[in-house]
Amino acid sequence: MSASTQSRQVNSVAEIFKSLDYGPAPEADNVAKAWLDDHGKSFGHFIDGKWVKPEGRKTYETKNPATGEVLATTIQGVKEDVDMAVKSARRAYESWNKTPPHVRARHLYSVARHIQKHMRLVSVIETMDNGKPIRETRDADIPIVVRHFYHHAGWAQLMDTEMKEWKSLGVIGAIVPWNFPLMLLTWKICPALAMGNTVVLKPATYTRLSALLLAEICAEAGLPPGVFNVVTGSGEMGSCLASHPDVDKVAFTGSTQVGQTLRQLTAGTGKKLSLELGGKSPVVVFETADLDSTVEGLVDAIWFNQGQVCSAGSRLIVQESVHDKLVAKLKERLTHFRLGDSLDKTIDMGALVDESQRKTIEEYVEGARREGAQVYQAEIGIPSRGCYYPPTIITNVHTVSKVVVEEIFGPVLVVLPFRTAKEAITLANNTIYGLASSVWTENVSLALEVGLNIKAGTVWVNCHNIFDAAAGFGGYKQSGYGRDGGKEGLYEYVRPKWEERHRPNVVDFDVNKFGATLPQRPTIDNVDVAEIPDDRIKIPRIDRTYKIYYGGAQKRPDAPYARQVINPDGKVVGHVGEGNRKDIRNAETTLYGATVKINEPVGVIGIACTDSYPLLGFVSLFAPAVVRGNTVVIIPSEKYPLVALDLYQVFDTSDLPGGVVNIITGDRDHLTKYLAEHQDVQSMWYFGSAEGSKFVEYISAENLKRTWVNYGMDREWENPEQGQGEEFLYHSVQVKNIWIPMGDIFAN
Amino acid sequence: MRIDTVGPSNYLPFEMAARNPGVDFDATWLENVYVNLPAVQRRADTLGTRRTVKKQWQAAWLLRAVACIDLTTLSGDDTESNVSRLCFKAKNPVREDLLKAMKMEDAGITVGAVCVYPSRVADAVRALKAANGSHIPVASVATGFPSGQYPLETRLEEIRYAVKQGATEIDIVINRQMALTGNWKGVYDEVRLMKDACGDAHLKTILATGELGSLTNVYKASMTCMMAGADFIKTSTGKEGVNATFMVALVMVRAIREYFHKTDYKVGFKPAGGIRAAKDACTWLSLMKEELGDEWTKPELFRLGASALLVDIERQLFHFVYGRYAAVHEIPMS
């Protein structure tokens, strides 16, 4: 009694007039509750345009992490459910793929309009299911969702002109995480549908409701049945979807670990794969930055969505001269930071998605504390129920600290000082990840230089975590490959028109034994005697054992073995060096520093060439790679390498910088093994056997290098449609988007 | 110094902030100033979306905003009659029935000050006395307001005149010619002289930010005025093309914070020009609370220069009390 009297007093106008405190400002949840009630708080899959609830499935209760309240019951799908969904998508594909682009555009447009119509419902459901603040779903997530549909309606309309060399893939299996449940699935289905594919989606376990709601909205908007299907289930069911033989592409956003599993699972199957994975993105702040604005930028970078953002700016790399000042400003900022119920419109941060996530974050922070790091958490109110973790700043940590190295996926910022721009770049790149980054300075020249040198798919200048459907988003290094958004994102959902999906039937083999080889012996009995016609004197020909070529020079192989080169008549026409893993190592380290181009090359590309076109195949592959600024370690045709080796003289005389093209002759699969396994080779192109293709894709999971393989099918290299063009460009570049907001003029 | 302002109030123990005596001009404080407009704009755009107040919180906040208003009339056609009306409204800014319903009738809520031209100061002082509101400060614009394009001698004389007439707060305009040509020392020297001319009156310096060309200049002008002893820095005269925006305000309050860190002197902030909506008034208070803290949400350190704002606030309060929106004609005009 007395408590309530007291609280009335505290909340009187007179008291608030004195204190000027904030009060609760809850967003009403009535529309969301009504929608849940409409479904009896129980959901099945959404397949072929209708709700499907098979008998006997296990269930999963989805909760509001801000309150712990159970929102609804969903089901745990099994293989038959996936089969049903894929079958439905395959059936729908036959007509959807043939639907005129303009009509597909109208469908996407219609979905956008319908989402806008249900904006409030969608925002509230997303907030209740995930725990993120209503301000973010209302002002960020859902507007971006809508924008993606409108944007891709445009691409659907333009497919015949803008993507005329390309065609759809078929059925897309999309697997998305819980941090932006609706936004990230939209990033998959919009380009997929625009390019004429159909989709089976598996939402994350914690957050299934908005995906199911979207499926219902799509049906309302008139999207044909089967074009977009949602099946709910465990991670195991996700694997089941990814390995379904009739799924033509897997589009995934989530953890690096699961991304690696998916790469291994789909290796050698001819399925396309795009992965948008983890990050430990740097926020690089120079003394020439607007520090007050940087503080707000850091709020956007690390405390947006409770830090559960793959592109979260979790490493603050700040110039030593302003380190203390910026940290003080940040700490001050946190004293009036507000944590609270996700539906409250007056909060900065809401609830974490699940208790397990909170524990993980806590362990990281306590670990740092034990290591002697300084942990700052402002004394701000934390709701007594629900799953919350305060915004945290960790200083006095170094590059060896776990909290600096690993992705925490929570509201935890680590701070590292730097002395010079060069050191800042090195620190920024000192990570296995490469998803995003931001650079803070008013010096344009510096911003661009640093931005171009950071190995990340997105660089924001003087801002962080800004997204748009027109700008592709995706990673370098172990943050994955493929882009979501922009024209660059469309390529993930198409294949060249001439190409059919290869479905190689590779029997399981031991990947560890792949490429093992015994060196060949050079000829000893093939005495090659040449006759000089004038004198009719037989004199011995000088030995023609070629060297290998790397670092801008001809080198003898590390192990002094040679392999025979035999012409089609079976005659030995020469010998080449037998390269091994040490040659690969040497080639790579010498040339890495030569990669100074700034037009977004992939980096070091390993290329294994076909035997069918020893010269054209070689040139067709190394040339597009090199002109886009990559360096290559190339294995020429195993059988006919001489014509490629003759090119090293051309390289030398044409002033190609040393290390740009490196030619290692030898056993293709043996050398491929070491190139594909090499942690500092960023992409592997393999034109050999189906088995080798599977090996390359499988082993690439380790450092998530990009791959381009032929699944054992050769192409017509002399046919311009197949032997050159956009496909080669696509594989030669990775898109980095640098965001440079501009403006200084505001008045007179 | 304690100024005994609000007579019967238990709720407004407002104490004028310690004056800012200023410091010697230090050009290094104007070096390495970096302001990124798009980033500031982003923060400005989200101030109102990150914070909001509802129900009695909204009512209380609106009343606080009322207490911070510099109720203003600055027109060529101002005469004794409309100035008197303004002063009576300043003393009784919210309808009594509304105050009673909120149990705030004894709070002694008045606006922060009335603001007029120098020639109307005497009228205002007289009217406030008649309204039993002599404790409400009279602020006068001065120094060739709004353009400042007059000789220094007459500009200083205007201050002395207004003070003599009874103004206790002087809103001067800075010399934009000097600011735009980078002569910050010149700006400083002039403001110093104006400070001296004010005597005991509080000095508010109007930056006329809409004429300063860049946010960096806004920051430098803020810092220069504070070094010269400004008790408040104020965005605009209300006569420029761009007036009080949240973006400009952020730059100014961040300068106030920096000056406070450097000197321990607290300088007040006054946005003015184009502030009309009650919702914006709450966002302004929230901006001050977030960027500078609670102390800067009181009239000692925060004023809202406005004329039409009060009507909108009163209508919102009417809605809070009665659940309906009042017609404008139901609110006593100022």
Side-chain angles (χ1 to χ4, degrees), chain A residues 17 22 290 292 336 346 348, chain B residues 50-52 64 257 290:
Chain A
F17 178 74
Y22 291 112
D290 173 350
D292 289 308
H336 50 88
T346 305
D348 293 301
Chain B
R50 278 184 182 269
R51 299 287 183 267
T52 185
R64 177 67 79 81
R257 188 166 60 206
E290 297 292 316

Side-chain angles (χ1 to χ4, degrees), chain A residues 411-634:
Chain A
V412 181
L413 180 72
V414 299
V415 188
L416 301 168
F418 73 84
R419 295 162 299 165
T420 65
K422 198 168 176 180
E423 187 178 50
I425 292 166
T426 312
L427 280 169
N429 286 333
N430 189 200
T431 168
I432 59 168
Y433 297 111
L435 191 55
S437 60
S438 60
V439 183
W440 295 78
T441 172
E442 291 304 291
N443 179 342
V444 177
S445 171
L446 177 65
L448 291 181
E449 185 174 28
V450 174
L452 285 164
N453 279 293
I454 291 178
K455 303 267 181 260
T458 299
V459 178
W460 287 291
V461 176
N462 293 320
C463 56
H464 202 109
N465 279 342
I466 311 282
F467 307 100
D468 188 80
F473 181 85
Y476 281 31
K477 301 197 280 187
Q478 295 194 34
S479 292
Y481 35 76
R483 293 292 178 268
D484 291 317
K487 191 180 179 187
E488 58 269 34
L490 302 179
Y491 295 102
E492 304 306 324
Y493 298 92
V494 291
R495 68 170 78 253
K497 267 190 175 158
W498 60 269
E499 187 191 85
E500 286 308 313
R501 175 182 158 188
H502 304 309
R503 292 168 181 271
N505 194 15
V506 182
V507 285
D508 279 347
F509 60 92
D510 185 352
V511 289
N512 294 322
K513 293 202 174 128
F514 180 84
T517 182
L518 274 177
Q520 289 187 4
R521 288 189 305 152
T523 52
I524 195 156
D525 53 352
N526 191 345
V527 183
D528 194 3
V529 181
E531 190 172 315
I532 298 176
D534 286 351
D535 299 349
R536 291 182 189 167
I537 300 170
K538 290 184 177 178
I539 56 168
R541 181 185 263 178
I542 302 297
D543 171 64
R544 284 190 64 195
T545 298
Y546 283 72
K547 295 182 194 163
I548 56 180
Y549 181 74
Y550 62 79
Q554 302 170 30
K555 310 268 171 73
R556 289 208 167 73
D558 174 79
Y561 291 119
R563 66 189 287 123
Q564 305 164 8
V565 179
I566 300 165
N567 75 5
D569 300 332
K571 194 166 179 234
V572 174
V573 293
H575 288 85
V576 295
E578 180 80 274
N580 67 11
R581 91 189 137 79
K582 290 182 183 165
D583 297 308
I584 299 280
R585 176 201 66 195
N586 293 346
E588 187 280 320
T589 45
T590 338
L591 62 92
Y592 194 65
T595 312
V596 293
K597 301 276 177 67
I598 54 171
N599 55 351
E600 315 316 330
V602 176
V604 180
I605 302 180
I607 304 176
C609 294
T610 175
D611 282 330
S612 60
Y613 291 81
L615 180 59
L616 183 61
F618 180 90
V619 173
S620 300
L621 290 170
F622 96 80
V626 168
V627 297
R628 298 310 303 186
N630 299 285
T631 53
V632 299
V633 179
I634 188 163

Side-chain angles (χ1 to χ4, degrees), chain A residues 134-407:
Chain A
I134 184 71
R135 170 179 54 80
E136 291 181 8
T137 53
R138 179 195 67 198
D139 297 347
D141 295 37
I142 311 306
I144 293 169
V145 164
V146 171
R147 168 105 177 97
H148 265 260
F149 275 98
Y150 280 129
H151 180 81
H152 286 91
W155 285 121
Q157 171 93 23
L158 294 171
M159 188 175 180
D160 282 351
T161 49
E162 291 288 322
M163 300 291 288
K164 59 172 178 266
E165 308 295 328
W166 304 82
K167 65 179 182 188
S168 61
L169 298 169
V171 175
I172 310 298
I175 301 173
V176 294
W178 46 259
N179 59 339
F180 293 91
L182 191 63
M183 187 173 98
L184 294 179
L185 83 84
T186 307
W187 291 11
K188 311 296 183 200
I189 70 169
C190 287
L193 300 190
M195 294 295 103
N197 306 280
T198 56
V199 177
V200 176
L201 170 87
K202 183 197 105 61
T205 298
Y206 295 141
T207 55
R208 299 169 165 182
L209 296 180
S210 55
L212 293 165
L213 171 59
L214 178 68
E216 202 178 29
I217 291 173
C218 286
E220 187 203 15
L223 196 69
V227 171
F228 171 47
N229 308 278
V230 179
V231 286
T232 57
S234 63
E236 202 180 325
M237 194 203 73
S239 300
C240 186
L241 174 62
S243 48
H244 194 290
D246 217 14
V247 164
D248 298 291
K249 186 235 157 81
V250 176
F252 175 73
T253 296
S255 73
T256 292
Q257 197 187 349
V258 175
Q260 287 169 320
T261 305
L262 287 172
R263 176 63 287 181
Q264 292 173 345
L265 208 58
T266 56
T269 60
K271 283 177 197 174
K272 284 189 76 157
L273 177 68
S274 57
L275 301 172
E276 198 267 87
L277 308 174
K280 191 78 183 176
S281 298
V283 176
V284 182
V285 182
F286 288 92
E287 60 186 7
T288 44
D290 173 350
L291 294 184
D292 289 308
S293 288
T294 304
V295 168
E296 296 306 325
L298 282 160
V299 171
D300 293 337
I302 187 64
W303 295 309
F304 177 52
N305 200 22
Q306 297 72 247
Q308 303 167 137
V309 184
C310 39
S311 57
S314 48
R315 285 187 299 145
L316 169 58
I317 297 175
V318 55
Q319 196 152 14
E320 208 172 351
S321 52
V322 290
H323 173 278
D324 294 353
K325 191 168 186 178
L326 182 62
V327 170
K329 278 177 184 286
L330 252 184
K331 288 179 177 175
E332 195 284 325
R333 175 69 176 86
L334 284 188
T335 59
H336 50 88
F337 203 78
R338 288 172 59 83
L339 240 69
D341 187 325
S342 310
L343 279 174
D344 192 325
K345 289 183 275 192
T346 305
I347 58 161
D348 293 301
M349 230 166 64
L352 298 168
V353 72
D354 190 75
E355 178 59 23
S356 63
Q357 187 68 15
R358 201 194 62 75
K359 277 201 185 115
T360 307
I361 296 166
E362 196 165 52
E363 278 163 23
Y364 271 114
V365 174
E366 294 316 309
R369 225 192 277 272
R370 281 194 300 274
E371 279 177 19
Q374 279 161 7
V375 176
Y376 176 83
Q377 293 173 331
E379 285 178 14
I380 52 175
I382 294 178
S384 49
R385 65 167 187 170
C387 183
Y388 294 90
Y389 196 84
T392 303
I393 302 169
I394 304 183
T395 50
N396 196 25
V397 279
H398 300 282
T399 48
V400 292
S401 305
K402 202 171 172 188
V403 287
V404 173
V405 175
E406 294 181 15
E407 180 178 39

Side-chain angles (χ1 to χ4, degrees), chain B residues 68-90:
Chain B
C68 294
I69 289 178
D70 275 7
L71 196 61
T72 302
T73 181
L74 291 169
S75 300
D77 58 3
D78 285 342
T79 67
E80 186 176 0
S81 68
N82 76 305
V83 170
S84 297
R85 192 167 64 224
L86 186 84
C87 291
F88 275 77
K89 183 73 181 176

